[in-house]
């Protein structure tokens, strides 16, 4: 998909470590095997040899499995981050928990449920107490943000506001790296996220013009948001979305009503995985790190899907349909 990605020697150590770690990635057949297990106790031996093996201590409460998987992912990102010449490839994968913690901080919470990323406890606590000096620029750039205004805006639209800030932050980090592959990945991820946010709003009967006010500005995607929020019938959105994401949207709109958004999310995730795989060809560099973390994230998501799915007796055929394409 992309021209040959140049190698950058200073990334050699962390890239060598990644080469070794990638040997432990799980193929699709592994997840199919988990889905086929009828007894939850039969799943444990299969998980011992995965990245999650060290987290499954005696007495593990299965209901906490998603939390264990999230912690495993977070720990890996932090570990890889410590070996990188630039933290940006890892920071991209820490942002989601940062912004979930920010939501708690704006509500005045004293504790934060999600693993700490680029925002530590001290900064989050300060924000919770009304000190906004350490807010990311992506938050303060929002159209609805202003001195004193934040308390009026947030009760009804905090999710929209922080969604916009999160997507802005992703775009900013991708721009700093100056990597065509990573920039393409993030651009498509942001566009897919915009579609999902607005599509859910329409299905819930929410006026999307509110989203235009608080999601913006979003660089090149500002015009897309403006156009989509002016069209209340999603069936005519494809032209405004455009490109590969528009094509995936067109496929998804043909699904059963209840499956449309989840079907689009799955298609978009698989598309992003295909982009990320291009980084595997790089011997050393930020793309190599980014690709690995992208694949690792998908693996943890698949593990959460199949294990919690079997715990909750979700139909096996449905789990197979929802399984994301593996990195390997």
């Amino acid at each position: 998909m992309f021209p040959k990605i140049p190698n950058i020697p200073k990334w050699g150590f962390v890239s060598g470590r990644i080469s070794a770690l990638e040997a432990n990635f799980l193929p699709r057949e592994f997840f199919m095997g988990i889905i086929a297990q009828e007894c939850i106790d039969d799943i444990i031996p299969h998980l011992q040899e995965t990245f999650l093996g060290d987290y499954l201590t005696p007495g593990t409460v299965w209901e906490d499995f998603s939390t264990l998987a999230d912690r495993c992912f977070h720990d890996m990102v932090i570990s890889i981050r410590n070996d990188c010449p630039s933290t940006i490839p890892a920071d991209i994968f820490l942002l989601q928990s940062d912004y979930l913690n920010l939501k708690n901080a704006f509500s005045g919470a004293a504790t934060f449920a999600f693993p700490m990323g680029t925002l530590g406890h001290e900064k989050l606590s300060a924000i919770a107490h009304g000190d906004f000096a350490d807010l990311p620029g992506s938050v303060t750039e929002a159209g609805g943000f202003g001195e004193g205004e934040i308390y009026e805006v947030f009760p009804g639209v905090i999710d929209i506001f922080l969604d916009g800030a999160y997507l802005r932050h992703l775009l900013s980090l991708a721009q700093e790296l100056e990597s065509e592959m990573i920039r393409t990945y993030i651009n498509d991820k942001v566009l897919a996220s915009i579609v999902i946010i607005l599509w859910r709003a329409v299905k819930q009967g929410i006026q999307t013009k509110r989203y235009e006010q608080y999601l913006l500005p979003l660089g090149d995607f500002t015009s897309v948001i403006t156009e989509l929020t002016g069209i209340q019938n999603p069936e005519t959105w494809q032209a405004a979305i455009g490109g590969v994401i528009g094509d995936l949207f067109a496929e998804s709109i043909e699904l059963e009503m209840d499956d449309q958004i989840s079907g689009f999310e799955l298609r978009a995730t698989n598309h992003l995985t295909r982009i990320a795989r291009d980084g595997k060809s790089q011997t050393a560099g930020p793309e190599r790190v980014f690709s690995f973390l992208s694949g690792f994230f998908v693996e943890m998501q698949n593990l959460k899907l199949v294990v919690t799915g079997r715990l909750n007796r979700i139909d096996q055929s449905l789990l197979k349909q929802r399984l994301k394409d593996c990195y390997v």
Side-chain angles (χ1 to χ4, degrees):
M1 181 183 292
F2 301 98
K4 181 175 173 58
I5 303 172
N7 295 316
I8 305 175
K10 66 180 180 180
W11 290 81
F13 176 78
V14 67
S15 298
R17 183 181 168 202
I18 281 170
S19 293
L21 288 169
E22 279 183 341
N24 296 313
F25 270 143
L26 303 171
R28 187 176 186 85
E29 291 73 25
F30 175 89
F31 299 102
M32 291 297 192
I34 297 294
I35 291 172
Q37 298 298 322
E38 296 295 341
C39 176
I40 190 64
D41 290 337
D42 293 335
I43 294 176
I44 298 175
H46 293 272
L47 297 177
Q48 293 297 343
E49 300 303 318
T50 71
F51 286 109
L52 270 173
D54 292 339
Y55 294 79
L56 301 172
T57 56
T60 294
V61 179
W62 281 108
E63 285 72 15
D64 294 336
F65 184 81
S66 288
T67 301
L68 290 178
D70 289 341
R71 181 154 59 88
C72 176
F73 175 74
H74 179 265
D75 290 350
M76 178 65 81
V77 176
I78 294 297
S79 177
I80 293 293
R81 184 178 189 260
N82 291 336
D83 289 335
C84 289
S86 166
T87 64
I88 293 176
D91 289 345
I92 288 171
F93 292 93
L94 294 173
L95 281 188
Q96 189 167 17
S97 60
D98 278 338
Y99 279 86
L100 290 170
N101 282 330
L102 261 181
K103 180 179 178 180
N104 287 341
F106 280 125
S107 70
T111 58
F112 308 101
F114 301 92
M116 299 291 174
T118 62
L119 290 174
H121 193 278
E122 185 177 342
K123 289 182 178 181
L124 288 167
S125 294
I127 293 167
H129 287 90
D131 179 358
F132 301 142
D134 289 320
L135 275 177
S138 55
V139 176
T140 58
E141 291 166 9
F145 185 89
E147 188 173 350
E149 186 181 1
I150 195 167
Y151 293 109
E152 300 173 12
V153 170
F154 265 50
V157 296
I158 183 171
D159 289 334
I160 309 171
F161 193 96
L162 289 178
D163 280 343
Y166 167 65
L167 297 178
R168 241 184 329 275
H169 206 150
L170 283 177
L171 291 169
S172 174
L173 290 180
Q175 195 66 30
E176 283 187 60
L177 273 178
E178 299 183 350
S179 162
E180 182 183 354
M181 187 209 82
I182 295 175
R183 202 159 44 232
T184 299
Y185 180 107
I186 295 299
N187 283 344
D188 283 0
K189 178 179 175 63
V190 168
L191 181 54
S193 297
I194 290 167
V195 172
I196 291 166
I197 290 167
L198 296 180
W199 203 354
R200 283 178 175 157
V202 170
K203 283 186 178 290
Q204 292 167 10
I206 301 172
Q207 289 295 319
T208 53
K209 279 298 178 182
R210 170 182 282 188
Y211 287 75
E212 182 181 7
Q213 180 180 359
Y214 295 116
L215 279 175
L216 300 180
L218 265 177
D220 294 340
F221 298 100
T222 295
S223 60
V224 178
I225 293 172
T226 300
E227 187 167 357
L228 291 180
T229 55
I231 307 171
Q232 282 300 305
N233 181 7
E235 292 184 4
T236 61
W237 279 5
Q238 182 186 2
I241 299 166
V244 176
I245 301 301
D247 293 340
L248 298 177
F249 174 82
E251 292 176 15
S252 306
I253 202 77
E254 298 298 326
L255 300 173
E256 295 292 332
M257 188 73 69
D258 291 342
D259 297 329
Q260 289 176 343
I261 295 179
S262 60
F264 175 72
E265 286 182 295
L266 179 61
R267 286 165 169 76
T269 298
N270 291 343
H271 165 66
L272 295 175
T273 297
R274 289 191 290 272
I275 294 175
R277 286 196 191 111
D278 269 32
K280 292 173 68 175
S281 64
Q282 186 183 42
T283 303
E287 288 89 348
R288 190 85 170 92
V289 173
F290 183 89
S291 294
F292 169 77
L293 291 177
S294 172
F296 192 72
F297 177 76
V298 169
E299 179 158 307
M300 290 298 108
Q301 294 298 304
N302 276 338
L303 279 171
K304 288 198 293 184
L305 170 73
V306 299
V307 174
T308 59
R310 296 310 295 138
L311 279 171
N312 292 301
R313 304 298 178 188
I314 295 176
D315 184 77
Q316 294 181 10
S317 61
L318 184 59
L319 292 176
K320 291 176 183 177
Q321 292 172 19
R322 292 179 177 176
L323 193 64
K324 299 173 177 65
D325 287 350
C326 298
Y327 181 69
V328 293

